[in-house]
Amino acid sequence: MDKVRIMLQFLQANQESFMNGICGIMALASAQMYSSFEFTCPCLPEYNYAYGIGILVVPPIWFFLLGFVMNNNISVLTEEWKRPVGKRRKDPSVLRYMFSSMTQRALIAPAVWIAVTLMDGKSFLCAYSATTDLSEFLNESHQNLPKKALIKLQATIPCKDVFDEHAIISRDAATIYIRCLSQACGWTFLMVITFAAFLMRAIRPCFTQAAFLKTKYWSHYIDTERKLFDETCKEHAKSFARVCIQQYFESISGEIVPQLQLPQKKGKGDKEEDGEKQKSDEEKLLGVRKEEDMNKVLWNWHSCKPPLNISKRAQEANGHVHSYSSSFSDEYITQTSEKKTAVAYYSKV
Amino acid sequence: MDRFKLVLQYFQSNSESISNGICILLSLISVKLYTSFDFNCPCLPQYNKMYALGVMFVPPVILFFLGILVNRHTGVLMEEYVRPLGKRNKNPAVVKFLLSAVMQRSLLAPMVWILMTLLDGKCFICAFSMNVNPKHFTGMPNSTGLELIKILAKVPCKEDVIFKNSSFRKAVSRYVRCYSQAIGWSILLILIFLGTVARILKPCFNYGTFLQTRYWSNYLDVEQKLFDETCVLHARDFARKCVMQFFESMREDAALRLPLTYALRPGQIQSEGAEEEEDRLHGITRLDQVDHLLQSWYECKPELDVTKMAYKPKVCITWEDHNGKVLFSEV
């Protein structure tokens, strides 16, 4: 029991820490990409703004979409959203929770890119050097330049090697000024998102804690259920294949073994392990032995999900006749659940 | 039993050491952030102070909020503070203890940033170079025709042309940096002194109450972790049963094309694993039961009394003689 507990704690921590790890890696990747990217401002009034703002805005969108793509839960969310209602009703709060947690994780790398870009200042400088009011940095003798010429001059400020009007405007001072503005924007941006995240996480328990526990449980349940279903299908396919091949060999060899006698086969001189293995294969088949049945299983899994009710009463409710009143049968079932005896019910023949 | 004790000790020490580890990680991040940040003083009289003080105080606020965010105990604290009373009384001392622990850990990274800016000196020079009295320094460039304050405002910018061949800029920077470092070291000394005094004098004041509040705050943390873990285990077993049940419900009798009776289905042997699984489900087998459980966990926390569970009467057979006197009993 202790081992199970430790393992499960690790697994649960592992899944979350795995997703957090991917987040962290993407954030580092975005910072690294920025530092290795060679920023080349066009230094022309018509294109500066587009280039500067493009570098600020387009890679974050790309990172955001990549964050969604790399998250495995996106297909779980879409499946849960699109499935027909079936026997299990849909809970929109669970969908919202899953979507919001995925969005939060996907927003980290874009935020890092925007913060790093603003702190560095190059894209801001490129975008706004032409249009900012830099009259403070103009030399007094050139205060009356025509506007168009001034804009064209200011547009070349980001490019050290192109700019050559040091007499008219002090390039270093203007660059420092615009970079300050950029850094102020960057810090403000970081402050705003940190405060928003703080409000969401620290103040949330004041409002919806009970509902939050429910949605957290059910979204985790949906994820686990899907994994277990895939696992069960794989096991079933293996057993199906094994039994199919065995039956084929038997049919070739001329021995026809009726279905119900299969469990007795181990007495016929087969080795103990083979009999055991076949028995567990039979169990693993869970009674689904035909292609149509398996297709029906897979089809109904999506179009008509089973209800969230695994009590013994629900198990017996599959097409049996209850000759007792419901309250009596409840009592009966709760009593017999402790005793582990098989109870005979009559089928609808 | 010993193994269990070890595991629990590991749990207990682990929560605090994880919080401490995250706290230190955040401080290292703040150091790295400072060293990689390109400090860019505007060198203009109207903007210097604003920029420098902004750089000195805005990142600490961000780091403080970040510290509160990533701390696990914040969630425990908020839940304990806002939950309805239920069957369990609320102890305000525990909430205060948790709050002070969260605050102390969150204040480390901001203090590291502030101390780094002070010891480095760039922010201080940018903010306060204009407040220096230039008469103490020789070599001031007065041939440029600029006002005094504008010259002083340009001191943080090394590359500015007016300071060529002049030791004035270096002298002023050095002077302001000394001030900055003195303030930084003083603050560090005061903080360490306060911390030491608090630690030494703590046993003198209400130590018994302190032990109690520490125990119960740790208990809340462990209880929440165990609850989450139990929910995870439960969800897994619930899912497994649901999937099995689904497969079996699709099953049809090959010959008669009708659902088989329960007893005739092969492979319905109750194995050891199924027994354990049923135990882990704790009888919670329906959607509404799970919802009710989670709702009442929040709204009506159980009382802190496990006598019933710890001393559950075991089933035993008692042998009595014909007078009704108990001879012996065995489990």
Side-chain angles (χ1 to χ4, degrees):
Chain A
M1 191 60 204
D2 296 342
K3 266 194 193 154
V4 171
R5 168 190 296 240
I6 296 173
M7 195 185 68
L8 232 89
Q9 182 85 353
F10 175 72
L11 265 179
Q12 185 198 14
N14 208 22
Q15 195 194 36
E16 269 193 31
S17 59
F18 176 70
M19 286 314 304
N20 291 341
I22 291 211
C23 261
I25 287 176
M26 279 192 62
L28 286 173
S30 107
Q32 183 59 32
M33 248 183 97
Y34 182 80
S35 56
S36 52
F37 173 66
E38 218 180 282
F39 188 89
T40 41
C41 193
C43 291
L44 297 165
E46 307 87 20
Y47 300 119
N48 269 9
Y49 187 76
Y51 186 84
I53 296 296
I55 294 293
L56 186 64
V57 166
V58 170
I61 295 177
W62 184 76
F63 276 114
F64 181 68
L65 293 174
L66 194 69
F68 267 107
V69 162
M70 292 190 59
N71 195 338
N72 288 333
N73 286 347
I74 184 90
S75 53
V76 177
L77 172 66
T78 328
E79 201 190 311
E80 181 63 17
W81 184 36
K82 278 300 183 188
R83 69 171 171 91
V85 175
K87 293 183 188 156
R88 189 190 290 185
R89 58 183 173 79
K90 289 208 252 193
D91 192 356
S93 62
V94 171
L95 290 170
R96 275 198 302 262
Y97 172 79
M98 289 171 78
F99 184 68
S100 85
S101 74
M102 277 200 292
T103 313
Q104 279 170 34
R105 291 212 163 90
L107 279 174
I108 290 181
V112 167
W113 175 277
I114 292 178
V116 169
T117 313
L118 287 174
M119 293 297 177
D120 194 32
K122 287 194 285 232
S123 71
F124 212 77
L125 181 66
C126 186
Y128 291 110
S129 68
T131 47
T132 320
D133 176 24
L134 296 173
S135 46
E136 274 186 45
F137 308 102
L138 280 174
N139 273 341
E140 265 123 36
S141 46
H142 294 97
Q143 288 284 356
N144 300 324
L145 268 179
K147 202 166 176 208
K148 249 189 157 177
L150 187 64
I151 288 180
K152 205 163 172 210
L153 173 67
Q154 280 182 201
T156 58
I157 285 178
C159 304
K160 221 185 257 189
D161 29 8
V162 175
F163 183 80
D164 57 356
E165 306 285 356
H166 294 277
I168 302 179
I169 196 168
S170 162
R171 184 184 168 270
D172 291 334
T175 313
I176 290 176
Y177 173 70
I178 296 179
R179 283 186 79 194
C180 281
L181 290 177
S182 172
Q183 284 180 346
C185 283
W187 285 120
T188 315
F189 170 75
L190 276 178
M191 172 80 127
V192 163
I193 56 173
T194 312
F195 192 66
F198 167 77
L199 280 180
M200 279 200 329
R201 286 195 99 175
I203 311 291
R204 190 200 28 80
C206 296
F207 297 107
T208 49
Q209 183 67 359
F212 172 71
L213 283 175
K214 273 189 249 186
T215 48
K216 193 167 79 158
Y217 178 89
W218 288 117
S219 69
H220 177 259
Y221 172 83
I222 291 171
D223 192 25
T224 312
E225 192 189 49
R226 192 179 89 132
K227 280 199 204 111
L228 278 171
F229 183 75
D230 290 340
E231 225 176 80
T232 314
C233 283
K234 274 199 203 116
E235 291 286 325
H236 185 274
K238 238 192 263 184
S239 309
F240 203 171
R242 209 173 277 146
V243 173
C244 199
I245 291 169
Q246 194 132 17
Q247 283 183 355
Y248 172 71
F249 270 76
E250 279 159 16
S251 73
I252 295 291
S253 74
E255 284 181 31
I256 300 167
V257 183
Q259 228 173 10
L260 286 173
Q261 281 182 33
L262 270 171
Q264 294 164 10
K265 202 166 182 228
K266 65 174 179 173
K268 268 199 174 178
D270 286 333
K271 285 201 203 124
E272 196 64 59
E273 305 98 58
D274 280 340
E276 285 287 336
K277 216 166 52 158
Q278 200 176 46
K279 198 170 163 184
S280 64
D281 271 338
E282 281 294 319
E283 276 181 26
K284 281 189 190 149
L285 283 180
L286 298 168
V288 180
R289 297 165 193 280
K290 286 197 174 58
E291 186 189 345
E292 305 96 68
D293 291 349
M294 194 60 209
N295 284 340
K296 191 172 159 205
V297 163
L298 295 167
W299 183 264
N300 280 2
W301 184 251
H302 176 71
S303 57
C304 184
K305 269 218 163 64
L308 289 163
N309 187 345
I310 56 174
S311 52
K312 285 278 192 325
R313 183 146 174 257
Q315 279 183 358
E316 258 75 83
N318 285 325
H320 299 290
V321 173
H322 281 284
S323 49
Y324 310 105
S325 69
S326 54
S327 58
F328 182 71
S329 66
D330 260 347
E331 225 181 272
Y332 190 62
I333 286 163
T334 45
Q335 279 172 5
T336 49
S337 62
E338 253 96 298
K339 282 188 202 159
K340 297 177 280 224
T341 51
V343 182
Y345 285 82
Y346 299 98
S347 65
K348 267 202 285 200
V349 181
Chain B
M1 200 54 212
D2 287 339
R3 246 200 210 167
F4 195 78
K5 264 193 208 155
L6 270 171
V7 166
L8 219 67
Q9 262 178 357
Y10 173 75
F11 257 54
Q12 202 176 12
S13 66
N14 212 22
S15 166
E16 271 201 30
S17 58
I18 283 184
S19 298
N20 289 342
I22 290 186
C23 180
I24 290 176
L25 193 70
L26 218 60
S27 316
L28 289 174
I29 287 178
S30 110
V31 169
K32 178 82 181 121
L33 210 63
Y34 183 77
T35 50
S36 54
F37 175 64
D38 198 6
F39 188 83
N40 197 35
C41 193
C43 295
L44 296 166
Q46 60 274 54
Y47 297 123
N48 269 9
K49 236 183 200 124
M50 198 158 50
Y51 181 83
L53 293 178
V55 170
M56 198 147 95
F57 291 117
V58 167
V61 170
I62 294 176
L63 288 166
F64 177 70
F65 282 135
L66 213 61
I68 293 183
L69 261 179
V70 302
N71 196 339
R72 221 194 95 81
H73 291 160
T74 312
V76 177
L77 163 71
M78 289 309 295
E79 222 185 287
E80 180 63 14
Y81 183 63
V82 300
R83 70 171 171 93
L85 208 57
K87 293 184 188 156
R88 192 189 284 186
N89 283 331
K90 286 213 247 193
N91 188 355
V94 171
V95 175
K96 273 188 232 157
F97 179 83
L98 279 171
L99 185 70
S100 82
V102 167
M103 288 290 154
Q104 278 171 33
R105 291 207 166 91
S106 315
L107 281 173
L108 183 67
M111 287 318 300
V112 166
W113 176 279
I114 291 177
L115 285 171
M116 280 205 71
T117 55
L118 287 172
L119 293 176
D120 191 28
K122 285 193 288 226
C123 278
F124 226 70
I125 294 174
C126 188
F128 296 112
S129 64
M130 296 174 294
N131 300 54
V132 168
N133 189 349
K135 293 202 187 89
H136 299 299
F137 306 98
T138 57
M140 192 172 85
N142 49 12
S143 56
T144 50
L146 283 171
E147 297 165 18
L148 177 68
I149 200 160
K150 281 202 175 153
I151 297 175
L152 284 174
K154 285 186 190 279
V155 162
C157 295
K158 281 186 223 178
E159 303 87 19
D160 208 304
V161 284
I162 65 171
F163 293 121
K164 261 197 189 137
N165 305 324
S166 157
S167 59
F168 176 75
R169 190 197 68 80
K170 282 198 191 139
V172 172
S173 316
R174 207 166 274 179
Y175 176 72
V176 180
R177 183 177 276 149
C178 280
Y179 255 103
S180 166
Q181 288 180 344
I183 293 177
W185 286 116
S186 317
I187 290 181
L188 189 60
L189 191 66
I190 291 173
L191 285 175
I192 292 181
F193 181 71
L194 282 176
T196 315
V197 162
R199 265 231 136 148
I200 290 175
L201 293 182
K202 196 187 339 228
C204 302
F205 298 98
N206 286 335
Y207 199 59
T209 323
F210 164 71
L211 286 175
Q212 286 172 352
T213 46
R214 193 173 68 172
Y215 176 86
W216 288 115
S217 65
N218 184 52
Y219 170 83
L220 287 174
D221 186 25
V222 173
E223 190 190 51
Q224 201 197 50
K225 261 202 280 240
L226 281 172
F227 181 76
D228 289 340
E229 193 190 283
T230 313
C231 282
V232 164
L233 276 170
H234 184 272
R236 197 175 163 87
D237 294 331
F238 198 117
R240 185 176 290 132
K241 284 235 141 155
C242 202
V243 168
M244 294 283 162
Q245 203 173 292
F246 176 73
F247 266 80
E248 281 162 21
S249 71
M250 293 286 130
R251 194 176 208 171
E252 288 182 0
D253 187 343
L256 298 172
R257 290 259 154 215
L258 280 174
L260 276 181
T261 66
Y262 188 68
L264 286 180
R265 290 177 190 168
Q268 278 292 327
I269 298 142
Q270 291 270 33
S271 55
E272 278 298 313
E275 271 297 296
E276 224 181 86
E277 244 184 48
E278 295 226 344
D279 285 338
R280 283 207 288 266
L281 282 173
H282 301 292
I284 308 288
T285 50
R286 286 201 318 264
L287 167 76
D288 50 333
Q289 282 173 339
V290 173
D291 281 346
H292 178 70
L293 179 134
L294 295 169
Q295 180 97 12
S296 33
W297 178 255
Y298 173 67
E299 282 179 358
C300 184
K301 271 221 162 59
E303 51 187 352
L304 291 164
D305 183 353
V306 296
T307 323
K308 280 187 297 223
M309 197 73 178
Y311 294 105
K312 209 163 37 172
K314 293 191 201 111
V315 175
C316 60
I317 303 174
T318 310
W319 301 87
E320 294 178 344
D321 64 3
H322 52 269
N323 291 331
K325 199 173 88 174
V326 172
L327 292 172
F328 68 90
S329 57
E330 61 181 12
V331 175

